[in-house]
Amino acid sequence: MSAADADGDGKPELLLAQKNFLRAVVWQVETNRPDSKPTYSFRVKEQINGAGSNSRIVAAAALPNGTNHLASLFLLDAERKCLTLCERDAADIWQVVRNLPLPVSDFTSLQAIAIGATQPNSIAFMSLNSVAWMGFTGEVWEFAELDGYETPIKDGYLSDVVSGDLNNDGRKDLVFLETAKNYLDIVTFEPPHQLVPAGRWQVFEERTFRGRRSDLPEPREALITDVTGDGKNDLVVLVHDRILVYPQE
């Protein structure tokens, strides 16, 4: 168990992990009559669900989130082997924002700690034989999908891609090697972040190389570089026993 202010009233609640959810509870007076001894009970104020029905939440910790009056909650999901970040949405409901996979899964407790700062900025993980921490300040790198591309070639199979400026516009183009129908498929990257089909052609027909078919996908390699010496990139393709050069004009 741990403690954090889960509802923004300025008072901490007890955080109890159970199965695939976390409950924020308070210890309150049930009856307080002058003629009897007061009785107490736990009251559930908030319930925060894990990432899935198969989650197994074993620990939780709160970490300040910038200037937000409510801290972010981190749940340790032992079944899914991840750290689940939860925050309140616009409707004031706790939601899972992100799941961070963990390289080690035998941790049993979490704690907010301050590393190189006066305020907590990291989450510490503890187990019987190891400790670790994950920082949440400073700049970080992450991959974000900008766009996707699916070839219009029927039953086509894109096996590889090379990049380079093929039209001298200062931006790199993508050349996909399609090996089911033996095409070259050229795609441009247009602002702000869109993959746009530019052109495609069949490098050879099957009957052209009848009796010489190998187990290698064709065309199997490509290179974008200036081989004609005119300062413009050309497309060089390796197919069967030949090197094909498509000069930029």
Side-chain angles (χ1 to χ4, degrees), residues 18-21 49-58 75-82 84 96 99:
Q18 181 181 1
K19 297 181 181 179
N20 63 337
F21 56 85
N49 296 323
S53 59
N54 64 334
S55 294
R56 182 165 60 90
I57 308 302
V58 297
L75 314 182
L76 180 57
D77 193 331
E79 183 66 27
R80 299 167 69 97
K81 300 179 181 179
C82 67
T84 299
V96 173
N99 290 299

Side-chain angles (χ1 to χ4, degrees), residues 1 6 22 34 58 95 154 216 218:
M1 62 182 180
L22 180 79
V58 297
Q95 299 285 353
K154 186 178 180 181
L216 295 175
E218 302 287 355

Side-chain angles (χ1 to χ4, degrees), residues 133-179:
W133 67 88
M134 183 180 297
F136 291 94
T137 57
E139 295 182 351
V140 296
W141 290 88
E142 68 174 344
F143 288 106
E145 182 177 332
L146 299 180
D147 199 10
Y149 176 74
E150 181 178 355
T151 180
I153 301 171
K154 186 178 180 181
D155 299 324
Y157 183 84
L158 303 180
S159 63
D160 201 358
V161 60
V162 296
S163 64
D165 186 2
L166 283 174
N167 53 5
N168 218 26
D169 64 351
R171 292 199 308 270
K172 288 187 177 182
D173 309 299
L174 301 178
V175 178
F176 291 96
L177 306 185
E178 190 284 313
T179 55

Side-chain angles (χ1 to χ4, degrees), residues 221-232:
E221 291 186 45
L223 176 68
I224 298 177
T225 188
D226 179 19
V227 296
T228 59
D230 61 356
K232 298 179 181 179

Side-chain angles (χ1 to χ4, degrees), residues 31 37-38 61 69 106 112 115-116 147 157 159 172 179 200 217 220:
T31 60
K37 297 179 66 174
H69 72 286
D106 63 344
I115 297 181
D147 199 10
Y157 183 84
S159 63
K172 288 187 177 182
T179 55
R200 70 197 57 84
R220 61 181 182 272

Side-chain angles (χ1 to χ4, degrees), residues 18-219:
Q18 181 181 1
K19 297 181 181 179
N20 63 337
F21 56 85
L22 180 79
R23 281 177 173 163
V25 301
V26 292
W27 183 245
Q28 66 177 16
V29 176
E30 191 72 25
T31 60
N32 192 13
R33 298 196 305 261
D35 58 343
S36 64
K37 297 179 66 174
T39 59
Y40 299 86
S41 66
F42 282 112
R43 179 170 67 90
V44 177
K45 298 187 70 176
E46 297 281 348
Q47 178 169 312
I48 301 100
N49 296 323
S53 59
N54 64 334
S55 294
R56 182 165 60 90
I57 308 302
V58 297
L63 198 66
N65 186 355
T67 58
N68 295 349
H69 72 286
L70 275 176
S72 298
L73 285 179
F74 289 88
L75 314 182
L76 180 57
D77 193 331
E79 183 66 27
R80 299 167 69 97
K81 300 179 181 179
C82 67
L83 184 67
T84 299
L85 169 61
C86 296
E87 295 179 349
R88 280 188 182 272
D89 61 12
D92 211 28
I93 299 174
W94 284 99
Q95 299 285 353
V96 173
V97 176
R98 189 171 180 181
N99 290 299
L100 304 171
L102 298 175
V104 181
S105 59
D106 63 344
F107 298 117
T108 56
S109 63
L110 298 179
Q111 183 176 335
I113 59 174
I115 297 181
T118 56
Q119 296 294 326
N121 60 0
S122 304
I123 292 293
F125 303 80
M126 287 154 284
S127 68
L128 182 63
N129 299 311
S130 60
V131 295
W133 67 88
M134 183 180 297
F136 291 94
T137 57
E139 295 182 351
V140 296
W141 290 88
E142 68 174 344
F143 288 106
E145 182 177 332
L146 299 180
D147 199 10
Y149 176 74
E150 181 178 355
T151 180
I153 301 171
K154 186 178 180 181
D155 299 324
Y157 183 84
L158 303 180
S159 63
D160 201 358
V161 60
V162 296
S163 64
D165 186 2
L166 283 174
N167 53 5
N168 218 26
D169 64 351
R171 292 199 308 270
K172 288 187 177 182
D173 309 299
L174 301 178
V175 178
F176 291 96
L177 306 185
E178 190 284 313
T179 55
K181 301 296 180 64
N182 316 118
Y183 273 78
L184 291 174
D185 196 354
I186 300 181
V187 176
T188 60
F189 191 77
E190 303 294 338
H193 44 73
Q194 184 178 11
L195 294 175
V196 179
R200 70 197 57 84
W201 66 89
Q202 194 174 28
V203 179
F204 65 92
E205 295 183 1
E206 188 66 33
R207 62 176 179 270
T208 306
F209 289 88
R210 185 175 299 167
R212 288 206 251 169
R213 182 176 179 85
S214 68
D215 293 333
L216 295 175
E218 302 287 355

